[in-house]
């Protein structure tokens, strides 16, 4: 699971600039350049450039980390490349994430996509020289650095300088293919959840470019007005080329080229470098055997199915009915007797029998695993299908970010969690090993499962969302409007949100964000913070200290700054730790030092005061000595109290004897006085 680090040059809260250079002019929207995303003019405060724009990323759909980092220093003609990424002020103290790139040299070929492309005539020569050749060359250079575009569509293709060669727009401020209309995606990708389509391959960009050419030739989108389900079914039943071309009259030399670009198998599509020379591309011929078609259909979930690929799609759309048919052997019997595919039927039958003896699979998920494997067996091009949720494994990151940010998507989030826990991606890949890097897939599955199984706030699906999406901003309610991308920016955001904040500012979302971004572990502290506050009894203030330890470690990245507003909030729960000092004098001194550190916003100083083990040892020793002295006094008191009655009797006897002696002496004196007188 190769993870990218967020770009280090991110604006501070003080200047509101991206990389300290680029100011987003939110009062100057550029609606025609965003290709469906908010887009604004940009001022370069270092060089004074005004030929830049910033495309805003959605809160739950982060920008693509790999292209943003890898393409920042590249130069590719006829392609808008990312220059910088970061957050900037959106307005009224709110921040948002943006990708900065050059403005297009001209307007979009088809800004809205919805109405017909009126008043535009595209001949074969214009299509070849102004659209196909420059865009194919741009895609070839992307392929050379192992990056796909995944946003090739007419409203993201712009007229070049002097209205000659076209320029391909950016595709960096949203997950790959997330904003692509279904018609521009191959059926296996269109079938996926929009956030889970994955990086795909450059062959998917070639396919989308072929759809663009058909749209420009016909002056309207293919299958305009059809819903996504209908578009996918038509492509599967008739083939992409026939379904997309329809009644459009193609220029003489375009049919063969488009048939190649829209080939069902991505391995059969021409490479972009070949497309740059259309005459060479046309000369290619690929012999493909038509898929067998049954004499009688099988009905699944109301769909009439005639071949294996459509069978796979129908099974994914009606999982409960599909499992019932599989278990009753209705599928393999139809494959053998009606479709005439005995080998395929035997493999499906082996799946059913083999899984019954597999001790690794959780019985509760056995049906899901069986259906997923069967679909992959019937159609090796199909995505991973799990009980109605379809995606490719490299789309788990964006899918996790999107689903975890929407409470309405909780059922699908639960399905994704089961997939990761069962390492279902590995099982899916084993059904199509020729098309997968199984070693890397297994490694990714295991790493994801490890993160999922980490207990408490340090793991789970939230942690996984931040780990797999390095450019996903922290979505905790307290800092959501600050678009926090790095730990460096978390304390300033918490300090800004401190007035009116609750005492425990670290919640599950912030803990997951920190766990994914911090180069170390804080699992034990997050486990303490996840406890209910009623458990904050022994030792005193242990939850407040755990929070302070987390904030102090984050503050190590910016030790020269203080956060007094935040310190005033976290002071209260941490203050209870003063009860660990037994001596009143020592406790008062600690409290004074704690308040002084809090006034400076010094988290490290506050933690040092409360975690001074040497001072606490001395205090404990003094307390122990005092306890010894107290016990001695108490024992002496008890001894004296026990001897009291005996001493009282002795004192009384002695008193009587002394009184008698004094009386005798008095009588003697009286007798002497009488004689003398």
């Amino acid at each position: 699971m190769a993870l990218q680090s967020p770009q280090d040059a991110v604006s501070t809260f003080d200047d509101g600039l991206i990389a300290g250079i680029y100011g987003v002019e939110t009062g100057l929207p550029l609606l025609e350049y965003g290709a469906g995303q908010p887009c604004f003019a940009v001022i370069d405060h270092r060089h004074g450039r005004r030929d830049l724009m910033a495309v805003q990323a959605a809160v739950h759909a982060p920008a693509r980390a790999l292209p943003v980092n890898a393409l920042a220093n590249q130069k590719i003609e006829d392609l808008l490349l990312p220059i910088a990424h970061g957050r900037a002020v959106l307005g009224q103290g709110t921040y948002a994430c943006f990708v900065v790139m050059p403005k297009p040299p001209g307007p979009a070929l088809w800004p809205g996509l919805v109405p017909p492309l009126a008043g535009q005539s595209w001949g074969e020569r214009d299509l070849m020289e102004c659209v196909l050749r420059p865009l194919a060359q741009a895609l070839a250079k992307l392929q050379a650095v192992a990056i796909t575009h995944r946003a090739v569509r007419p409203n993201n293709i712009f007229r070049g300088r002097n209205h000659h060669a076209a320029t391909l727009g950016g595709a960096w401020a949203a997950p790959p293919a997330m904003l692509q209309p279904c018609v521009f995606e191959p059926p296996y990708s269109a079938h996926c959840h929009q956030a889970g389509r994955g990086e795909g391959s450059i062959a998917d960009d070639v396919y989308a470019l072929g759809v663009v050419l058909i749209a420009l030739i016909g002056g309207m989108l293919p299958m305009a007005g059809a819903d996504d389900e209908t578009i996918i079914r038509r492509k599967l039943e008739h083939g992409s080329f026939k379904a997309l071309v329809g009644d459009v009259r193609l220029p003489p030399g375009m049919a063969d080229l488009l048939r190649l670009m829209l080939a069902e198998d991505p391995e059969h599509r021409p490479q972009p470098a070949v497309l740059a020379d259309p005459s060479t591309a046309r000369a290619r011929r690929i012999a493909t055997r038509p898929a067998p078609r049954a004499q009688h259909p099988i009905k699944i979930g109301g769909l009439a199915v005639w071949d294996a690929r459509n069978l796979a799609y129908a099974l994914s759309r009606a999982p409960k009915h599909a499992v019932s048919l599989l278990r009753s052997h209705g599928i393999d019997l139809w494959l053998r007797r009606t479709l005439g595919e005995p080998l395929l039927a035997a493999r499906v039958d082996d799946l059913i029998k083999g899984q019954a003896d597999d001790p690794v699979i959780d019985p509760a998920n056995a049906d899901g695993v069986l259906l997923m494997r069967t679909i992959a067996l019937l159609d090796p091009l199909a995505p991973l299908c799990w009980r109605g949720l379809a995606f490719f494994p490299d789309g788990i990151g964006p899918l996790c970010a999107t689903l975890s940010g929407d409470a309405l998507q909780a059922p699908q989030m639960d399905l994704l969690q089961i997939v990761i826990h069962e390492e279902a991606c590995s099982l899916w890949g084993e059904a199509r090993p020729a098309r997968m890097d199984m070693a890397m897939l297994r490694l990714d599955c295991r790493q994801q499962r490890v993160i999922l199984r980490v207990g408490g706030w340090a793991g789970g699906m939230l942690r996984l969302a931040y780990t797999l999406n390095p450019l996903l901003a922290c979505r905790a309610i307290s800092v959501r409007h600050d678009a926090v991308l790095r730990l460096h920016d978390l304390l300033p955001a918490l300090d800004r949100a401190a007035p009116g904040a609750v005492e425990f500012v670290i919640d599950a979302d912030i803990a997951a964000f920190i766990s994914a971004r911090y180069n170390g572990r804080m699992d034990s502290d997050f486990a303490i913070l996840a406890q209910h506050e009623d458990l904050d009894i022994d030792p005193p203030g242990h939850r407040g200290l755990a929070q302070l330890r987390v904030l102090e470690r984050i503050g190590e990245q910016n030790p020269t700054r203080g956060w007094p507003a935040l310190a005033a909030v976290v002071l209260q729960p941490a203050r209870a730790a003063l009860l660990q000092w037994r001596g009143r004098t020592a406790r008062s001194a600690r409290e004074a030092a704690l308040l002084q550190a809090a006034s400076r916003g010094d988290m490290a100083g506050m933690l040092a005061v409360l975690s001074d083990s040497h001072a606490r040892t001395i205090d404990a020793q003094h307390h122990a000595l005092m306890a010894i002295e107290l016990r001695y006094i108490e024992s002496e008191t008890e001894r004296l109290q026990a001897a009291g009655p005996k001493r009282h009797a002795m004192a009384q006897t002695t008193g009587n004897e002394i009184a008698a002696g004094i009386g005798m002496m008095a009588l003697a004196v009286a007798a002497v006085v009488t004689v003398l007188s």
Side-chain angles (χ1 to χ4, degrees):
M1 181 170 52
L3 302 178
Q4 304 295 319
S5 298
Q7 190 175 1
D8 192 55
V10 180
S11 65
T12 67
F13 280 84
D14 296 327
D15 57 31
L17 303 178
I18 296 175
I21 301 173
Y22 305 105
V24 179
E25 300 294 302
T26 54
L28 296 174
L30 304 174
L31 302 178
E32 68 276 20
Y33 292 159
Q37 291 181 274
C39 182
F40 305 94
V42 168
I43 296 179
D44 181 344
H45 289 272
R46 177 175 295 176
H47 305 100
R49 293 178 59 186
R50 288 184 172 271
D51 60 340
L52 303 174
M53 66 180 186
V55 180
Q56 182 182 344
V59 174
H60 304 305
R64 298 168 64 185
L66 178 61
V68 164
N69 290 326
L71 297 177
N73 298 317
Q74 296 283 334
K75 293 187 180 300
I76 299 179
E77 292 184 4
D78 302 318
L79 174 63
L80 302 183
L81 296 174
I83 295 175
H85 172 272
R87 60 154 190 224
V89 177
L90 186 62
Q92 298 179 348
T94 299
Y95 289 73
C97 298
F98 297 90
V99 176
V100 177
M101 62 187 78
K103 286 181 183 178
L109 296 185
W110 195 346
L113 290 184
V114 178
L117 188 60
Q120 179 66 55
S121 175
W122 290 91
E124 181 177 354
R125 187 173 184 280
D126 289 336
L127 287 171
M128 294 294 187
E129 297 299 323
C130 298
V131 180
L132 179 60
R133 190 187 301 277
L135 299 193
Q137 290 173 342
L139 291 176
K141 292 179 180 178
L142 274 182
Q143 185 181 25
V145 291
I147 292 175
T148 56
H149 190 272
R150 306 298 274 117
V152 180
R153 54 184 182 269
N155 68 339
N156 199 31
I157 300 173
F158 304 89
R159 292 185 179 276
R161 294 175 180 82
N162 300 320
H163 295 277
H164 290 308
T167 296
L168 186 56
W172 328 121
M178 184 172 181
L179 302 179
Q180 280 286 80
C182 179
V183 70
F184 292 97
E185 289 292 291
Y188 52 77
S189 178
H191 183 190
C192 295
H193 188 289
Q194 284 185 302
R197 290 172 171 171
E199 296 289 337
S201 68
I202 208 70
D204 299 322
D205 290 323
V206 169
Y207 183 101
L209 183 54
V211 182
V212 169
L213 294 177
I214 293 174
L216 296 179
I217 293 170
M220 62 185 303
L221 286 183
M223 291 183 278
D227 59 24
D228 291 353
E229 180 81 12
T230 301
I231 291 173
I232 296 172
R233 287 295 309 278
R234 286 183 186 175
K235 287 184 177 182
L236 289 174
E237 289 177 2
H238 306 294
S240 292
F241 175 77
K242 186 175 180 180
L244 288 165
V245 172
D247 297 329
V248 176
R249 297 184 62 182
L250 300 177
M254 295 292 294
D256 290 340
L257 184 62
L258 287 171
R259 187 174 282 107
L260 288 171
M261 295 175 71
L262 300 173
E264 302 304 316
D265 192 329
E267 295 181 358
H268 294 166
R269 296 171 202 150
Q271 296 293 317
V274 175
L275 285 177
D277 184 2
S279 60
T280 303
R282 287 195 196 96
R284 297 178 75 237
R285 291 290 185 271
I286 297 175
T288 58
R289 182 173 65 90
R293 185 176 174 86
Q295 294 181 348
H296 305 287
I298 182 174
K299 286 197 173 182
I300 300 176
L303 298 178
V305 175
W306 297 84
D307 57 48
R309 197 175 181 201
N310 275 282
L311 174 61
Y313 179 73
L315 293 176
S316 71
R317 302 299 292 176
K320 290 184 179 180
H321 187 199
V323 168
S324 176
L325 283 173
L326 280 170
R327 295 293 187 190
S328 63
H329 294 279
I331 298 297
D332 55 302
L333 286 176
W334 182 82
L335 288 171
R336 181 179 290 107
R337 297 176 180 177
T338 307
L339 189 60
E341 289 281 358
L343 293 178
L344 191 57
R347 294 178 67 186
V348 172
D349 188 46
D350 289 343
L351 272 182
I352 298 172
K353 294 177 180 178
Q355 186 164 306
D357 301 325
D358 193 338
V360 177
I361 299 173
D362 185 346
N365 298 317
D367 287 346
V369 172
L370 175 61
L371 182 58
M372 175 193 69
R373 284 172 157 174
T374 302
I375 292 171
L377 184 62
L378 293 171
D379 182 6
L381 297 177
L384 188 156
C385 300
W386 186 269
R387 297 176 181 173
L389 179 64
F391 60 92
F392 282 102
D394 63 344
I396 285 182
L399 183 60
C400 191
T402 301
L403 296 182
S404 63
D406 186 352
L408 297 177
Q409 301 290 341
Q412 289 189 310
M413 190 66 168
D414 292 340
L415 294 177
L416 183 59
Q417 185 169 345
I418 294 173
V419 168
I420 296 170
H421 184 270
E422 291 289 337
E423 296 189 20
C425 291
S426 289
L427 301 176
W428 171 79
E430 290 170 358
R432 55 200 303 276
R435 297 179 181 270
M436 301 300 303
D437 182 347
M438 287 304 302
M440 184 60 67
L441 185 60
R442 289 192 185 99
L443 179 61
D444 288 348
C445 288
R446 288 169 188 166
Q447 289 182 337
Q448 292 166 11
R449 187 182 183 188
V450 166
I451 293 174
L452 188 63
R453 297 181 69 180
V454 173
W457 287 355
M461 293 298 283
L462 272 178
R463 162 77 181 277
L464 191 62
Y466 288 114
T467 301
L468 297 179
N469 296 279
L471 298 184
L472 177 63
C474 183
R475 298 180 301 192
I477 294 175
S478 58
V479 297
R480 182 173 298 171
H481 297 301
D482 285 315
V484 175
L485 289 167
R486 306 179 307 166
L487 286 181
H488 181 84
D489 299 316
L490 182 58
L491 286 186
L494 290 173
D495 193 65
R496 276 166 38 103
V502 296
E503 292 181 347
F504 287 94
V505 298
I506 296 178
D507 59 12
D509 226 313
I510 291 178
F513 176 80
I514 294 172
S515 298
R517 302 285 185 265
Y518 182 70
N519 189 21
R521 299 188 61 151
M522 303 187 197
D523 298 16
S524 58
D525 286 327
F526 290 139
I528 294 173
L529 285 169
Q531 296 175 358
H532 194 273
E533 59 182 310
D534 292 342
L535 299 177
D536 194 6
I537 52 177
D538 187 18
H542 75 298
R543 292 183 71 234
L545 278 175
Q547 177 170 252
L548 200 54
R549 279 194 297 269
V550 172
L551 296 175
E552 186 270 338
R553 291 179 194 176
I554 300 172
E556 291 174 353
Q557 301 186 22
N558 196 354
T560 61
R561 298 288 298 274
W563 317 108
L566 177 60
V569 173
V570 301
L571 169 65
Q572 298 309 315
R575 203 171 189 170
L578 290 171
L579 295 175
Q580 297 180 33
W581 270 265
R582 303 297 184 88
R584 184 177 301 173
T585 302
R587 190 186 307 151
S588 298
R590 293 283 120 186
E591 185 169 18
L594 178 64
L595 293 174
Q596 186 177 11
S599 67
R600 301 192 305 268
D602 182 5
M603 303 292 175
M606 293 172 66
L607 186 62
V609 170
L610 295 174
S611 303
D612 190 339
S613 58
H614 179 67
R616 202 156 56 219
T617 300
I618 295 175
D619 177 70
Q621 291 172 348
H622 287 171
H623 177 72
L625 291 174
M626 293 289 292
I628 293 172
E629 292 182 7
L630 180 61
R631 284 197 298 272
Y632 175 76
I633 293 172
E634 289 175 347
S635 65
E636 285 298 306
T637 302
E638 290 174 359
R639 186 177 62 80
L640 291 173
Q641 289 175 347
K646 184 177 180 180
R647 287 196 302 272
H648 178 70
M650 185 182 295
Q652 189 174 16
T653 302
T654 303
N656 290 337
E657 291 175 352
I658 293 173
I662 293 174
M664 292 296 291
M665 289 179 63
L667 289 174
V669 172
V672 172
V673 172
T674 302
V675 172
L676 292 178
S677 61

